[in-house]
Amino acid sequence: MPWLQLRIDATEDNAQQLSDVMEEAGAISVTLEDAADQILIEPDAEALPLWSRTRVVGLFDAASDVEPVKARLRALLGRERLPGLQLKVIEDQDWGRAWMDRFEPICFQNDLWVCPSWRTPPDPNACNIYLDPGLAFGTGTHASTALCLEWLGEQGLTDKEIVDYGCGSGILAVAGLKRGARRAWGVDDDPRALAVSAGNAEKNEVSANYRPVPPESLPPGLQVDIVLANILLAPLIALAPRLTALVKPGGNLVLAGILKDQVSSLRPYYEGGFDLAVRTREEWAMLAGAKRAPCD
Ligand SMILES: C[S@@+](CC[C@H](N)C(=O)[O-])C[C@H]1O[C@@H](n2cnc3c(N)ncnc32)[C@H](O)[C@@H]1O
């Protein structure tokens, strides 16, 4: 299946906002490139360098109408013409190869590496997650995924059961299993994500404990120790009753995929049941905390 690639010139000041507009408009992925076409991948977001001349590249489903996206970008820039605008159709195969060229091993917290499945891990003795993102989101290069991975790395996961709601590539579920979790459910409404995540669980030899399911196939009444949902503001609001019910009393909920200034919009939907703390990285925020017991 072909894809539509929308590419515009940006500056250090507006690249992140333009990227956010594309993501919110449904881009399957958004990447930042410098003038030499090098991809921006930097695990330490605090020190994230942005070139003075940057390009923002969004990839959309070929059936998407990108005119409304262009209109939002124009409104953001306050300009009639989008600088350096390029729109082109990319064949599926090219897209797969582009990822392979650009996705580098990334280290989290010293001993957790996310490593493209076709690369030799830099530290073979570390906890290595071998990942093939395929067409699913989730390589650890995005700040909100990185926030979730860091949070997971701080938890004792032995014997825990996890739900990765909006699993994409399955990166969070696989990380949880490799860190000792007993079972992980990968939930996604995109069947391609379920297939890609199952492949990644297999590559990491954790597929015996991984259950990829569409949302409607989660067992009724399921309650687990940890629910991670790195989605976007609107689905996190819509899913509040569901995600709340999935967490055991005393268990933890992690909500990500929201911008810092969206925290106050999301918090009211969850704070009745959870003690939530906020963490941020770049423009992104994560809410995480334990579910209060009914009598608390
Ligand atoms: C931003 S990606 C996150 C992928 C991965 N968990 C990570 O942390 O990098 C969000 C995923 O949520 C899925 N998604 C969005 N809305 C959903 C919904 N209402 N129910 C289930 N999955 C959803 C998308 O298909 C996508 O794969």
Side-chain angles (χ1 to χ4, degrees):
M1 182 166 68
W3 303 89
L4 260 186
Q5 188 193 66
L6 177 65
R7 181 189 273 229
I8 58 169
D9 288 347
T11 64
E12 209 168 347
D13 296 330
N14 63 24
Q16 190 61 52
Q17 288 169 300
L18 293 168
S19 156
D20 293 344
V21 166
M22 290 200 204
E23 287 215 12
E24 282 166 19
I28 288 147
S29 87
V30 182
T31 48
L32 305 183
E33 293 177 352
D34 74 354
D37 276 353
Q38 286 178 328
I39 203 79
L40 184 69
I41 290 180
E42 173 55 70
D44 179 5
E46 297 306 322
L48 196 70
L50 264 187
W51 302 277
S52 53
R53 281 202 61 234
T54 300
R55 275 187 222 119
V56 182
V57 186
L59 195 76
F60 296 82
D61 194 307
S64 310
D65 177 7
V66 289
E67 286 310 316
V69 189
K70 284 161 61 183
R72 287 175 66 183
L73 295 169
R74 273 191 223 103
L76 178 74
L77 295 175
R79 293 171 65 164
E80 257 314 295
R81 293 185 54 176
L82 291 172
L85 175 69
Q86 289 176 29
L87 194 58
K88 71 174 179 183
V89 175
I90 302 229
E91 292 307 321
D92 214 357
Q93 235 186 346
D94 291 345
W95 169 239
R97 269 200 293 275
W99 259 115
M100 292 173 76
D101 290 345
R102 293 168 173 187
F103 176 26
E104 298 287 331
I106 307 171
C107 185
F108 296 90
Q109 294 170 326
N110 301 325
D111 69 334
L112 174 70
W113 282 86
V114 177
C115 189
S117 57
W118 54 92
R119 293 279 297 265
T120 307
D123 178 0
N125 299 319
C127 178
N128 287 303
I129 301 175
Y130 300 99
L131 209 73
D132 181 353
L135 287 170
F137 182 102
T139 57
T141 59
H142 194 280
S144 63
T145 309
L147 281 166
C148 296
L149 284 172
E150 278 172 7
W151 184 91
L152 265 180
E154 294 161 11
Q155 313 304 312
L157 297 178
T158 308
D159 281 340
K160 299 281 192 237
E161 185 170 17
I162 296 176
V163 167
D164 175 1
Y165 209 107
C167 63
S169 66
I171 184 169
L172 303 179
V174 170
L177 289 167
K178 289 202 94 157
R179 292 277 199 191
R182 173 171 57 85
R183 182 187 291 158
W185 300 83
V187 182
D188 209 291
D189 59 5
D190 181 343
R192 290 171 305 183
L194 296 176
V196 169
S197 67
N200 283 325
E202 203 157 330
K203 279 187 193 87
N204 287 279
E205 299 176 355
V206 293
S207 55
N209 299 320
Y210 180 61
R211 309 270 184 282
V213 289
E216 63 278 11
S217 300
L218 270 178
L222 178 72
Q223 286 208 309
V224 300
D225 303 290
I226 296 172
V227 173
L228 299 130
N230 178 18
I231 318 185
L232 287 172
L233 178 66
L236 287 176
I237 290 175
L239 287 166
R242 177 125 223 242
L243 298 180
T244 298
L246 274 170
V247 184
K248 281 180 184 168
N252 279 285
L253 178 65
V254 177
L255 304 168
I258 55 167
L259 299 169
K260 281 188 213 169
D261 62 11
Q262 295 175 329
V263 168
S264 58
S265 306
L266 183 61
R267 201 188 257 285
Y269 293 89
Y270 289 92
E271 67 187 353
F274 296 88
D275 295 313
L276 295 169
V278 182
R279 289 190 194 184
T280 60
R281 194 170 173 125
E282 299 169 48
E283 291 307 304
W284 296 87
M286 180 187 88
L287 288 169
K291 187 174 187 177
R292 289 191 286 273
C295 56
D296 277 1

